[in-house]
Amino acid sequence: MARDDTAQYLNYLYNVGAGGVLSKGTQQEVSQQEFEYLMRCFMAAQQHGYIYWQANSLQGLSEHLIIPEMRDKLIEDNHASIRFINTDNVSDSLLAGNLAERAADLFIRYGDVYQIAGAFRTLASCYWQINNYPSAIICLQDALEKNKAINQAPDLVASIREQLSVVYAAVNDKQGSDFNRNIYLDLQEQTRQDRYLESRAGILESTSQQLNLMIVAVLLMIALVLGLLLLFHYLKKRNPNGNSLDDLLLPLKEWQVRNEKELDDLEEEYQEVQEASYITHTNVVKNKKRNIEKRAKLFLVNTLNPLIDRMIHEINQLKTNNGTEALRNERYAYIAELTDDINKYNNVLTQWIQLQQGELSLHIESFSLQQVFDVVAKSRKAFELKGITLNIEPTQNIVKADRVLTLFMINTLAENARKFTPEGGTVSISSKEETDFIEISVEDTGIGIEPEALHHIFDRKVIVDNKETNSHGFGLMNCNGIINKYKKVSKLFAVCSIGAESRLGKGSRFYFRLPKGIVRILALLCLLSTSLLSYANKPDTPVNANANGQNSSLRELDIANMYADSAYFSNIKGDYKRTLDFADTCRYYLNKYYLRLNPNGRHLMKRIADDNITPAEVQWLYDDVPTNFSIILDIRNESAVAALALHDWALYRYNNNVYTLLFKENSADKNLGEYCRMMQRSESNKNVAIVLLILLLLSIFPLYYFMYYRQRFRFQSYVENIRQINAILLSNGTPVEKQKAISAIATNKFPESLKEITKKINEALKKSIESYNTSSTNIELAQDELRRMEFENNKLHVSNNILDNCLSTLKHETMYYPSRISQLVSEKDAELETIDQLSVYYKELYSMLSMQAMHQVSVIKPSYGRIEVGKLLAKNMELSSPEMGKFAVLGDADLLKYLFELLQKQDASERIKVDVESLSPEYLTLHLYMSQLQLSDEACANLFVPSIEHAPYMICRQIVRENGEFFNRHRCGIVAHNTDKGTTLSITLSRAKKE
């Protein structure tokens, strides 16, 4: 159902809600579903101003609310909808009438005569239901008399007359009731099902006569066409004039000159791409070398985590286990040793790191500021040692930013405040929510900043570091860089800013602003379903089978006919109860007759039955039971009349419905439909014949062309095709496109002179395409490789810069704590609590920053592949046997070449001998004999221990380690041995399978 068509959608809603479409479920469930469809129809029609559908939906709702039991249930289950439609706040019993009256008013506005009558009929039913029979009569009479055009709809008039007979019976007006019922019965003849077929048959007969005349006319035209065709047959064909064909070859020569130039341009473009690829590959190799160096530094960073964990373990042991004094002294000594080792590694990292300004990797998320404040609060002890109070105000604010960088900025501002606040001062950290952003501020009661220095506070280093600290002094510049990076991300971060306020001798306030975050709360919605109460229909009334005194020699149908006559005369006498008794007996003999014909039959006539079940007598008609249906019609009609007089409305309604249905089904002419179908087929055949004849008539024009003018213009059209081919040849498309377009032009019927021209053009194009494809393929492959290398180069460049920033931040933000812990260890138990707080805060800060750096490492994936050993070695390296060069290893070719370049630089000899040893199908070991590198056994053992002198070897170890980890081959490694001829380096790598 397309919702774009509103009227069609409303029609669909009304048809479903009006009844008869939905059948699944109990009657109450079906009624509820229909009520919902009508409500949707009413609201949509009201919203879009469709008066017609408003009135229809109101009328349908009224019909659903007429019956008290159904109305009470619908009102109970649809309070909101009932309040919506009950605009006049009428009582429940009058609501159906109110809706019907509103529907009638709307139909009167709309001007539909039939719908107005139907609305009055519905309104009469509402009055009937509340026993207001005079009003019901008035409504039905209005329906009949307000506009006589209603008589053109006999079905509608019949239903109104039937309802009038019931209402008159209710007021005991027997004459009025009989009058309207007789009209109702007469109208049944006019509305029977075959009336339409009779009308249709008449129309088809008239149409058939017209078609016969048309066929005769078309046949005459065909005779004329045949005469013209005979005339065309004798017309002479004219030969085309020949033209000079030399001009048709000039475009080919012009194209060949242009094509040669295009191929030269392609070759030049290929050379340019090759040059760019060489430059980009050189940059990729440089960035790979930088990246592996960063990863080697990061490996050094990660070696500190176990040392920090051991230190925290020892501190916990000191806190929870008193032990002997000697044991506690040993633990303090071990902690001091661990801090010395950490400081030693930090010094190596400090000497190794060359701080470079790079791009930040922002991990934007919404998070609570309180989480960051909680981490900062763990450094409270450092403030207390200087006699400063750290005040952190609790907050519920949510920001959208990078969590780690936010912590870095708050730590930087707090640390600066601590440095320049004297003993007894206060440092306060808080946040404030504004309309578009959250402002985080760090305020102190320190010495303040001079106006000139304040003006350039974020541009350059203007703060002189406290001599007691090892601050790097660039924290504020980094904070400003982070804010500037945020602004470049999206418009959301346009609110980001950083600023400072200060008064000499009073203190300073540094603040920065971040956009608000969003907390998403998922609410679980529970849908409660209530079951509708089902009701059982009342049991059928048994058939009265008392027929004492009847002559047993009479057949069942004759006896039934006698009782039907008795029922008729009983109605005339006004003995209506006896009429029903006669009707029961009549049905008894009709059922008996049916059972005699069908011993196992289940369809028996009843006085009253379920309206949803096909009546037995109608089923007999469908099953072609040979019975007298006139008797059945009489008895059902007499039963309806008697029930009407007795005010037994349910009995009347059932008998009247059965009578109406059976009358229409039985009175229909069964052969009329087949006759109409035969006439329809005849009409269709004649229509087809006329269409074919007209097509034959119209074919004179193409026949005239094919038999007369075709030969004259054929050659000229071939020449035009050649000109079209030349135009395609000189167009701006590629040779392939040109060939495809030319091949679409049929040339197989060309004369030989023109075929020769097309052959030359096709051969030239074919040769050009071969050259063009070769050049284009080479360029595309080169461009693809260039784009891949550029992407890899950009990714490596960004990663390297980010790792530089991460490592620099890690170094500057964590180096203070090991030294401070080492100082406090000398105080032993007196500062144990302070040592514990500093070590825990150091661990959390170090882990967070190192994880940030590790995330960047996971972004870069080396391109591992198969490479022969002979292609890896540096210039001054020589294999003991050329056959060894055919061994192949797995790994990143650029990194493995870098490995041997580094090792070659460590040996000053002109030639380094290399042996290749096959350890297993999975491993190869390369032995490098470095004669100029003289190392002792101890130096060989410590060659890969972290130190600034061993940095090249640490990079080599990182390359080999990553090679083994990628292929899950744990025997990969690099070791050094002292020999008489110098130092031998043995490198075990992943071996590649033979191709």
Side-chain angles (χ1 to χ4, degrees):
M1 185 64 198
R3 288 176 175 262
D4 294 337
D5 188 346
T6 307
Q8 186 178 359
Y9 177 57
L10 293 173
N11 182 34
Y12 162 75
L13 292 176
Y14 174 73
N15 287 335
V16 176
V21 177
L22 304 174
S23 59
K24 189 175 181 181
T26 65
Q27 181 61 36
Q28 290 182 349
E29 291 173 345
V30 171
S31 180
Q32 173 63 32
Q33 295 177 44
E34 292 174 348
F35 180 86
E36 292 172 356
Y37 273 94
L38 289 172
M39 281 300 304
R40 288 162 59 189
C41 179
F42 174 69
M43 290 188 289
Q46 191 178 54
Q47 179 181 359
H48 295 283
Y50 284 85
I51 297 176
Y52 177 79
W53 292 114
Q54 289 183 55
N56 270 311
S57 54
L58 283 175
Q59 184 177 349
L61 290 168
S62 173
E63 291 170 354
H64 278 71
L65 296 172
I66 289 176
I67 302 174
E69 297 81 1
M70 194 65 68
R71 177 184 65 229
D72 294 341
K73 183 61 177 174
L74 289 174
I75 291 176
E76 179 184 350
D77 294 342
N78 303 276
H79 287 295
S81 298
I82 295 299
R83 285 197 303 271
F84 181 75
I85 61 177
N86 189 4
T87 56
D88 297 329
N89 294 321
V90 299
S91 62
D92 294 346
S93 60
L94 300 179
L95 180 58
N98 176 265
L99 298 179
E101 187 175 3
R102 287 161 57 189
D105 292 340
L106 288 173
F107 279 131
I108 291 172
R109 287 173 52 193
Y110 186 73
D112 191 316
V113 176
Y114 308 108
Q115 295 292 350
I116 293 171
F120 277 122
R121 181 186 57 187
T122 302
L123 183 56
S125 298
C126 299
Y127 282 126
W128 158 270
Q129 193 65 40
I130 62 175
N131 301 325
N132 188 349
Y133 305 123
S135 297
I137 293 174
I138 293 172
C139 289
L140 294 171
Q141 289 177 343
D142 286 344
L144 290 171
E145 297 172 2
K146 277 190 176 295
N147 195 320
K148 295 301 182 180
I150 191 177
N151 293 322
Q152 298 177 11
D155 281 324
L156 180 58
V157 174
S159 67
I160 296 173
R161 290 293 183 182
E162 186 269 335
Q163 196 167 346
L164 265 172
S165 70
V166 176
V167 179
Y168 276 119
V171 296
N172 296 317
D173 186 347
K174 186 72 168 66
Q175 182 178 0
S177 177
D178 291 343
F179 173 77
N180 284 282
R181 179 155 185 84
N182 289 333
I183 296 177
Y184 165 73
L185 296 176
D186 293 339
L187 287 171
Q188 297 307 306
E189 177 65 22
Q190 300 180 25
T191 60
R192 70 173 196 262
Q193 292 181 349
D194 58 352
R195 286 295 185 187
Y196 168 76
L197 294 177
E198 289 178 356
S199 175
R200 181 62 178 161
I203 295 173
L204 290 173
E205 290 173 355
S206 176
T207 304
S208 177
Q209 295 176 358
Q210 296 175 1
L211 291 175
N212 291 334
L213 294 175
M214 292 181 64
I215 290 175
V216 172
V218 173
L219 287 174
L220 293 175
M221 294 297 296
I222 289 176
L224 177 62
V225 170
L226 291 175
L228 291 173
L229 290 178
L230 291 174
L231 177 63
F232 295 153
H233 179 71
Y234 293 102
L235 293 176
K236 294 181 180 180
K237 300 179 181 179
R238 300 174 60 182
N239 294 325
N241 296 323
N243 296 313
S244 176
L245 302 179
D246 294 339
D247 293 341
L248 297 178
L249 289 173
L250 293 178
L252 174 62
K253 296 176 181 179
E254 180 183 349
W255 173 81
Q256 287 175 332
V257 174
R258 287 166 50 182
N259 186 61
E260 290 294 331
K261 184 177 183 304
E262 290 177 358
L263 292 176
D264 292 341
D265 292 341
L266 288 176
E267 182 62 27
E268 184 178 348
E269 181 181 355
Y270 176 71
Q271 295 299 329
E272 291 175 356
V273 174
Q274 287 291 89
E275 292 176 5
S277 298
Y278 174 77
I279 295 172
T280 304
H281 180 262
T282 302
N283 292 332
V284 168
V285 173
K286 290 180 180 178
N287 279 317
K288 279 187 177 181
K289 293 177 180 179
R290 284 185 59 201
N291 191 261
I292 194 64
E293 179 182 348
K294 310 303 177 193
R295 298 204 293 271
K297 295 174 184 177
L298 193 56
F299 178 79
L300 176 60
V301 168
N302 289 332
T303 58
L304 296 186
N305 283 317
L307 300 179
I308 299 172
D309 291 337
R310 291 179 203 166
M311 181 175 64
I312 292 176
H313 173 73
E314 294 299 325
I315 294 171
N316 290 334
Q317 290 296 320
L318 288 168
K319 290 176 62 181
T320 58
N321 186 6
N322 292 329
T324 63
E325 185 66 24
L327 179 59
R328 294 182 69 82
N329 290 335
E330 289 180 5
R331 291 189 185 279
Y332 280 117
Y334 184 50
I335 292 172
E337 181 182 343
L338 289 172
T339 57
D340 291 341
D341 290 340
I342 293 172
N343 280 325
K344 182 179 69 175
Y345 285 141
N346 278 336
N347 290 333
V348 173
L349 185 63
T350 299
Q351 297 175 32
W352 198 359
I353 291 178
Q354 297 294 328
L355 183 61
Q356 298 176 350
Q357 185 176 0
E359 294 187 13
L360 296 172
S361 177
L362 299 178
H363 300 279
I364 305 300
E365 59 180 328
S366 292
F367 60 91
S368 172
L369 269 178
Q370 188 60 45
Q371 299 173 359
V372 178
F373 283 5
D374 291 341
V375 177
V376 177
K378 295 180 180 180
S379 63
R380 193 185 304 274
K381 200 67 179 178
F383 288 83
E384 293 176 355
L385 291 174
K386 194 177 177 183
I388 300 172
T389 301
L390 176 62
N391 180 28
I392 300 178
E393 297 182 10
T395 179
Q396 300 294 327
N397 293 329
I398 307 295
V399 297
K400 191 176 187 66
D402 186 301
R403 188 194 304 263
V404 174
L405 294 181
T406 303
L407 174 62
F408 166 76
M409 294 177 71
I410 296 176
N411 263 336
T412 299
L413 298 180
E415 184 64 18
N416 285 341
R418 185 185 67 84
K419 291 184 209 172
F420 301 103
T421 300
E423 184 176 355
T426 301
V427 174
S428 299
I429 301 176
S430 62
S431 68
K432 181 175 63 174
E433 182 175 356
E434 298 292 346
T435 304
D436 299 320
F437 56 84
I438 303 295
E439 182 177 280
I440 300 105
S441 63
V442 178
E443 188 172 359
D444 62 60
T445 58
I447 60 178
I449 306 173
E450 294 181 356
E452 180 62 24
L454 185 64
H455 182 67
H456 299 286
I457 193 72
F458 298 107
D459 300 336
R460 58 177 182 267
K461 182 180 175 183
V462 297
I463 300 176
V464 180
D465 290 347
N466 192 318
K467 296 180 179 180
E468 297 179 357
T469 67
N470 293 321
S471 170
H472 54 84
F474 292 97
L476 294 178
M477 295 173 62
N478 286 338
C479 291
N480 189 42
I482 293 171
I483 291 298
N484 291 333
K485 176 62 179 178
Y486 277 138
K487 291 181 179 179
K488 297 176 182 178
V489 173
S490 70
K491 293 182 179 179
L492 175 66
F493 292 93
V495 299
C496 291
S497 64
I498 188 169
E501 302 169 352
S502 183
R503 293 176 61 188
L504 283 174
K506 299 294 184 179
S508 305
R509 186 178 81 92
F510 286 80
Y511 62 89
F512 61 95
R513 295 169 179 173
L514 298 174
K516 290 183 180 179
I518 300 175
V519 178
R520 300 175 183 261
I521 302 175
L522 297 178
L524 299 176
L525 302 178
C526 300
L527 301 178
L528 302 177
S529 59
T530 59
S531 61
L532 299 175
L533 297 175
S534 60
Y535 68 96
N537 293 326
K538 295 182 179 180
D540 296 333
T541 304
V543 176
N544 182 4
N546 185 14
N548 295 328
Q550 298 298 326
N551 191 341
S552 59
S553 61
L554 297 177
R555 305 289 293 177
E556 289 90 344
L557 288 181
D558 295 331
I559 297 173
N561 190 32
M562 291 172 56
Y563 278 105
D565 292 340
S566 299
Y568 170 73
F569 289 111
S570 181
N571 268 339
I572 293 177
K573 294 176 182 180
D575 192 354
Y576 302 113
K577 292 184 178 180
R578 188 166 179 79
T579 298
L580 296 179
D581 292 337
F582 284 132
D584 290 340
T585 305
C586 179
R587 278 190 296 272
Y588 167 76
Y589 281 103
L590 289 170
N591 286 332
K592 186 176 181 181
Y593 173 73
Y594 167 73
L595 291 174
R596 187 165 61 81
L597 296 178
N598 300 280
N600 297 323
R602 297 177 298 167
H603 305 291
L604 300 179
M605 293 175 58
K606 299 178 182 180
R607 174 185 283 194
I608 187 170
D610 190 350
D611 289 335
N612 296 323
I613 300 175
T614 303
E617 46 268 64
V618 177
Q619 190 63 46
W620 294 355
L621 181 64
Y622 294 159
D623 296 340
D624 294 328
V625 175
T627 188
N628 191 338
F629 288 100
S630 297
I631 299 175
I632 299 174
L633 288 171
D634 290 341
I635 202 64
R636 284 299 183 186
N637 181 51
E638 297 306 327
S639 296
V641 172
L644 202 60
L646 294 173
H647 295 184
D648 190 342
W649 311 122
L651 181 60
Y652 162 76
R653 190 172 295 107
Y654 177 75
N655 281 274
N656 185 68
N657 290 341
V658 173
Y659 170 83
T660 304
L661 178 60
L662 183 61
F663 177 83
K664 290 183 178 181
E665 294 289 340
N666 188 52
S667 61
D669 188 347
K670 302 298 188 298
N671 298 322
L672 196 56
E674 182 60 31
Y675 175 74
C676 289
R677 286 190 290 272
M678 181 188 68
M679 292 295 294
Q680 182 67 47
R681 287 194 296 270
S682 175
E683 180 184 351
S684 300
N685 292 335
K686 291 178 181 179
N687 285 330
V688 171
I690 290 173
V691 171
L692 292 176
L693 292 174
I694 292 174
L695 290 176
L696 181 60
L697 179 63
L698 294 176
S699 64
I700 184 174
F701 302 104
L703 287 173
Y704 180 76
Y705 167 76
F706 281 108
M707 297 181 66
Y708 185 64
Y709 282 107
R710 184 181 181 188
Q711 296 300 324
R712 178 180 179 182
F713 295 122
R714 180 174 294 178
F715 187 84
Q716 188 63 33
S717 66
Y718 293 157
V719 172
E720 290 299 325
N721 287 339
I722 293 294
R723 291 195 177 99
Q724 183 181 357
I725 290 173
N726 286 332
I728 294 172
L729 189 64
L730 296 177
S731 64
N732 295 326
T734 63
V736 176
E737 294 172 346
K738 294 176 182 178
Q739 187 183 51
K740 185 177 180 181
I742 291 174
S743 63
I745 301 175
T747 60
N748 56 319
K749 296 183 179 180
F750 280 12
E752 290 299 324
S753 57
L754 297 182
K755 283 185 177 179
E756 185 66 24
I757 295 176
T758 57
K759 181 179 178 181
K760 291 180 180 179
I761 294 174
N762 286 326
E763 288 177 352
L765 272 176
K766 182 179 178 181
K767 182 179 178 182
S768 174
I769 288 172
E770 292 176 356
S771 301
Y772 182 84
N773 287 341
T774 302
S775 300
S776 297
T777 301
N778 292 338
I779 291 174
E780 288 177 4
L781 293 175
Q783 287 176 339
D784 288 343
E785 180 64 18
L786 176 60
R787 283 191 290 269
R788 185 196 65 78
M789 288 190 295
E790 287 176 343
F791 176 75
E792 183 179 8
N793 184 56
N794 291 336
K795 188 164 63 172
L796 285 167
H797 176 73
V798 171
S799 178
N800 289 340
N801 289 335
I802 293 174
L803 283 174
D804 275 338
N805 199 306
C806 291
L807 291 170
S808 177
T809 302
L810 185 72
K811 175 176 72 71
H812 293 305
E813 295 302 322
T814 61
M815 290 185 64
Y816 159 77
Y817 299 98
S819 301
R820 183 56 183 162
I821 292 172
S822 179
Q823 294 174 6
L824 295 174
V825 164
S826 60
E827 303 294 333
K828 296 186 178 179
D829 290 345
E831 296 294 342
L832 181 58
E833 187 64 28
T834 303
I835 294 173
D836 180 47
Q837 291 182 4
L838 284 177
S839 61
V840 171
Y841 178 71
Y842 175 49
K843 169 64 177 177
E844 290 182 1
L845 184 60
Y846 195 87
S847 298
M848 181 183 297
L849 295 175
S850 61
M851 286 176 63
Q852 178 78 2
M854 287 299 296
H855 174 74
Q856 295 302 323
V857 173
S858 63
V859 173
I860 301 299
K861 302 295 182 184
S863 55
Y864 289 106
R866 185 181 189 276
I867 184 170
E868 293 182 355
V869 171
K871 298 178 180 179
L872 291 177
L873 302 181
K875 294 181 180 179
N876 295 336
M877 294 184 180
E878 182 180 352
L879 289 166
S880 300
S881 169
E883 296 297 325
M884 294 180 180
K886 297 181 180 180
F887 284 106
V889 296
L890 297 172
D892 187 302
D894 296 326
L895 292 180
L896 292 178
K897 289 179 181 179
Y898 183 44
L899 165 69
F900 290 103
E901 288 176 8
L902 287 173
L903 295 177
Q904 193 273 334
K905 292 178 181 179
Q906 309 309 312
D907 189 81
S909 61
E910 296 183 359
R911 290 289 176 185
I912 299 177
K913 293 291 185 179
V914 180
D915 280 337
V916 180
E917 179 184 0
S918 176
L919 295 181
S920 70
E922 294 182 345
Y923 296 97
L924 277 181
T925 299
L926 283 73
H927 301 287
L928 278 68
Y929 304 107
M930 306 176 72
S931 58
Q932 300 300 317
L933 184 63
Q934 300 293 333
L935 299 176
S936 63
D937 291 338
E938 182 180 359
C940 288
N942 295 327
L943 188 62
F944 302 98
V945 173
S947 70
I948 192 62
E949 295 82 8
H950 297 160
Y953 298 104
M954 294 170 66
I955 296 173
C956 293
R957 181 183 61 179
Q958 186 69 21
I959 295 173
V960 176
R961 180 189 299 109
E962 290 186 1
N963 181 273
E965 289 176 352
F966 184 84
F967 297 104
N968 199 24
R969 296 181 181 179
H970 302 295
R971 289 182 59 185
C972 293
I974 179 170
V975 295
H977 308 281
N978 181 27
T979 63
D980 296 337
K981 297 181 180 181
T983 301
T984 300
L985 288 178
S986 298
I987 306 170
T988 302
L989 299 173
S990 300
R991 183 175 182 177
K993 295 181 180 179
K994 294 183 179 180
E995 293 183 339

